[in-house]
Amino acid sequence: MKKIINQANRVVPEMLEGFEATHSRLVRLLPEARAVLRRIPKSPGKVALISGGGSGHEPAHAGYVGFGMLDAAVAGNVFASPNPEQLLAALDELKNQAGILMIIKNYSGDVMNFGIAAEMAAEKGAIIEKVVVNDDVALAGRDKPDWRRGIAGTVFVHKIAGAAAEKGMRLAEVRELAERAVAGMGSMGVALSPCIVPEAGKPGFSLGENEMEIGLGIHGEAGARKTAVLPADEIAGELFARIRDDVGLKSGDKVAVLVNGLGGTPPLELYILARAARRLADQAGLNISYSLVGNYMTSLEMAGASLTLLRLDAELEELLAAPALTPAIYQPAPGQ
Amino acid sequence: MPETIDAGGVRKILLLMADKIIAGRDRLNEIDSGIGDADHGSGMAQSFAKARERLESVPPGADIAALIKAFASGVMGGGGGASGALFGALFGEGAKTAAGKESLSPADLAAWWRAGLAAVQARGKAKPGDKTMVDALEPAARALEENSAAGFGSQTAKALEAARQGVEATKGMLAGQGRSRYAGERSLGHQDAGATSVALLLEALASAWK
């Protein structure tokens, strides 16, 4: 293992200290809780959004804390959910907001720990709703929601729910919009090389020199199948077709596209995938109105990428285009 | 130990459990590397170190439920992940069964683990055969109940044996819950790390009467 670290069991707190030092105008850190909060809280009459999960997915989720997106992000150990005490400490910072929406990726540890924290906070009078993101189409269709993991599409949910909350929408409305996004969204990824959890010191799985894994999750857990490395256009074709069928996208639909790097794939390759996705969308009669390309939800140093397609209606389109001022997504209002 | 456990005895047992998990860190990581992230031991050791810390800060004279509750809060508030939540539930429900009791009989011990099993299943949704901690916990809880007339020594030894057999049986199971289920057939042949941790807890428990 070759990594730029000091001690394997200190990577999360040291990363967070560096994150706060870098983005101190936008965020502040609660060190004990490993929670990143907005430097300037949003006004109390608005709904707050909290997310988080295991570390190793940077810039998720701390990178999405700021105006127009999250109010708090809580970091667990690498690839392990934060515990309920951490989440409760962060929730306590949001207690003056007009309700709280938890955005949870569908992994058992996250669902349990966020669930326990939500129950405990609700006992103390907090008004909390949850949305579980399960955008991964690789292993199961919508008839088996438990088998669908929460992966890169979670970033779109942060953006949409965040913009809705910023507009002053009520908790039930924010939640409904987040669920609408989840219902119209699919993601699927490929890995070309594994990643190494610092405390483990060795890769969690292996891939041959000319081999790739299709449909894996964001921790390197197994995918749908292994195959020889395919050209970018063929990779895009397979991912696109699977997502299109899952979401039920039809000619004339408006969509948002995310080409997400898993950490070890350069932007050069991601843009080749983005080119292929654009051509596939054109052929299918889909109209891309919002695109992101880059490392938005990584798996440490894993080489690979995922594609996310989200069906847009006018409301979702407007919320995606709304301004956001966060460390990882910094976009002005349309036309500015 | 006598045939009831007082608060001092419970404190001793919980410390034995914490130390057993902390000492098992590397072995649990190694077992988890088969189909997991190779971090089960690291997370568990962090959780049980926190549990030990919380237990040690409970003043002398506290009752049994307060001791187990403090221990549970450390497990739940330590390394996080699914294991923090599930092992925290195991002890948290145990604390509830001990409420108001000044000592525990073998039947009380069985009731603790039965309630813990129910809490783990309610939170994690795992059934026996899903290749999880339940596959060691369920037979252990049953053995504690079936042998509660035999005295703690024999009761806990039987529970340990049942848990170990449960761990062994996980090798032949396909994962049905948690992240390892995505490995499908690839999970065959590997023993479950969470079940192994349960067996370590039972090993610590049984060692109190040796």
Side-chain angles (χ1 to χ4, degrees):
Chain A
M1 174 174 76
K2 279 197 279 188
K3 285 182 187 289
I4 303 175
I5 61 174
N6 295 307
Q7 265 176 271
N9 64 359
R10 292 281 308 155
V11 295
V12 175
E14 292 181 2
M15 173 270 290
L16 289 171
E17 285 171 28
F19 187 86
E20 186 195 36
T22 307
H23 304 292
S24 60
R25 287 176 57 211
L26 297 173
V27 302
R28 68 187 170 94
L29 175 66
L30 280 186
E32 269 296 291
R34 299 184 179 179
V36 171
L37 301 153
R38 287 193 195 189
R39 174 65 63 185
I40 303 163
K42 65 157 68 117
S43 60
K46 294 179 178 177
V47 170
L49 267 59
I50 184 170
S51 190
S55 293
H57 304 307
E58 292 70 27
H61 293 272
Y64 305 115
V65 172
F67 179 85
M69 294 186 78
L70 302 178
D71 296 272
V74 186
N77 287 337
V78 174
F79 293 173
S81 165
N83 69 51
E85 284 186 17
Q86 295 174 259
L87 291 161
L88 281 168
L91 288 169
D92 196 51
E93 299 282 326
L94 307 177
K95 62 174 182 271
N96 294 327
Q97 305 296 144
I100 299 166
L101 182 67
M102 286 181 157
I103 301 174
I104 307 165
K105 298 194 298 300
N106 193 31
Y107 278 98
S108 45
D110 288 315
V111 170
M112 282 187 240
N113 283 285
F114 278 79
I116 293 166
E119 288 163 21
M120 291 168 84
E123 275 172 30
K124 289 194 288 179
I127 298 160
I128 294 197
E129 297 273 356
K130 296 181 286 187
V131 61
V132 177
V133 183
N134 58 357
D135 52 321
D136 173 32
V137 308
L139 300 181
R142 287 170 194 272
D143 54 327
K144 286 187 190 165
D146 288 356
W147 278 84
R148 296 167 65 95
R149 299 165 287 203
I151 54 176
T154 308
V155 176
F156 281 150
V157 181
H158 291 344
K159 179 73 191 71
I160 285 165
E166 217 65 69
K167 283 178 70 172
M169 290 188 180
R170 287 143 45 113
L171 181 57
E173 298 169 301
V174 177
R175 179 188 158 168
E176 188 278 320
L177 283 157
E179 283 176 345
R180 202 191 303 170
V182 173
M185 181 169 75
S187 299
M188 187 158 154
V190 293
L192 278 64
S193 74
C195 60
I196 301 175
V197 174
E199 289 221 52
K202 55 187 182 197
F205 64 103
S206 61
L207 284 168
E209 177 56 32
N210 192 36
E211 204 175 32
M212 67 178 205
E213 176 125 10
I214 298 189
L216 80 173
I218 48 175
H219 312 91
E221 71 273 13
R225 65 188 170 90
K226 282 185 186 178
T227 174
V229 176
L230 301 170
D233 288 355
E234 283 179 43
I235 293 172
E238 175 156 357
L239 302 183
F240 184 92
R242 289 288 300 275
I243 301 165
R244 178 199 59 206
D245 294 349
D246 180 89
V247 178
L249 293 169
K250 289 185 284 295
S251 178
D253 283 346
K254 258 190 190 173
V255 293
V257 175
L258 166 59
V259 175
N260 173 58
L262 294 177
T265 286
L268 181 149
E269 294 170 33
L270 298 179
Y271 280 109
I272 293 172
L273 267 183
R275 167 185 179 269
R278 167 65 64 128
R279 291 158 70 117
L280 289 157
D282 287 348
Q283 284 163 22
L286 304 179
N287 177 6
I288 300 176
S289 85
Y290 185 84
S291 298
L292 294 174
V293 177
N295 288 345
Y296 287 92
M297 177 82 69
T298 58
S299 276
L300 297 169
E301 74 274 45
M302 189 183 291
S306 65
L307 177 68
T308 300
L309 299 174
L310 162 64
R311 185 199 292 114
L312 297 176
D313 56 28
E315 198 171 12
L316 296 182
E317 187 180 12
E318 185 196 321
L319 293 168
L320 273 182
L325 309 174
T326 73
I329 293 186
Y330 204 92
Q331 69 181 43
Q336 289 189 318
Chain B
M1 277 213 186
E3 282 314 286
T4 60
I5 323 167
D6 61 7
V10 168
R11 197 184 273 268
K12 180 186 157 191
I13 286 168
L14 293 173
L15 287 174
L16 286 169
M17 288 179 171
D19 290 344
K20 182 66 84 177
I21 293 290
I22 293 165
R25 179 183 183 276
D26 292 348
R27 192 177 146 237
L28 291 170
N29 279 345
E30 181 58 34
I31 288 166
D32 187 40
S33 72
I35 42 173
D37 293 332
D39 64 352
H40 177 72
S42 302
M44 288 289 285
Q46 197 181 334
S47 293
F48 280 77
K50 185 76 157 273
R52 196 183 209 287
E53 210 179 287
R54 295 258 168 104
L55 181 66
E56 282 169 343
S57 70
V58 179
D63 69 8
I64 292 174
L67 292 170
I68 307 177
K69 198 176 165 196
F71 194 79
S73 82
V75 174
M76 182 87 80
S83 43
L86 292 169
F87 282 87
L90 171 61
F91 287 95
E93 279 306 302
K96 290 183 193 165
T97 65
K101 293 191 171 136
E102 284 179 19
S103 64
L104 300 183
S105 66
D108 294 331
L109 183 64
W112 160 1
W113 286 73
R114 172 59 63 185
L117 168 67
V120 166
Q121 289 195 270
R123 186 63 68 186
K125 316 277 183 246
K127 305 176 297 296
D130 278 344
K131 197 183 183 89
T132 70
M133 66 186 284
V134 168
D135 293 306
L137 192 52
E138 196 275 333
R142 199 155 18 96
L144 287 172
E145 284 164 350
E146 286 169 359
N147 297 284
S148 64
F152 283 118
S154 170
Q155 181 198 27
T156 57
K158 288 271 169 44
L160 170 58
E161 194 185 316
R164 282 180 174 157
Q165 283 170 7
V167 172
E168 198 55 34
T170 63
K171 290 182 184 169
M173 295 174 186
L174 277 173
Q177 283 294 332
R179 225 188 277 158
S180 57
R181 71 200 158 119
Y182 306 121
E185 302 265 320
R186 283 180 253 182
S187 68
L188 280 176
H190 296 282
Q191 86 184 52
D192 181 65
T196 309
S197 283
V198 170
L200 288 181
L201 293 177
L202 269 300
E203 212 175 296
L205 178 67
S207 74
W209 283 277
K210 273 183 188 160

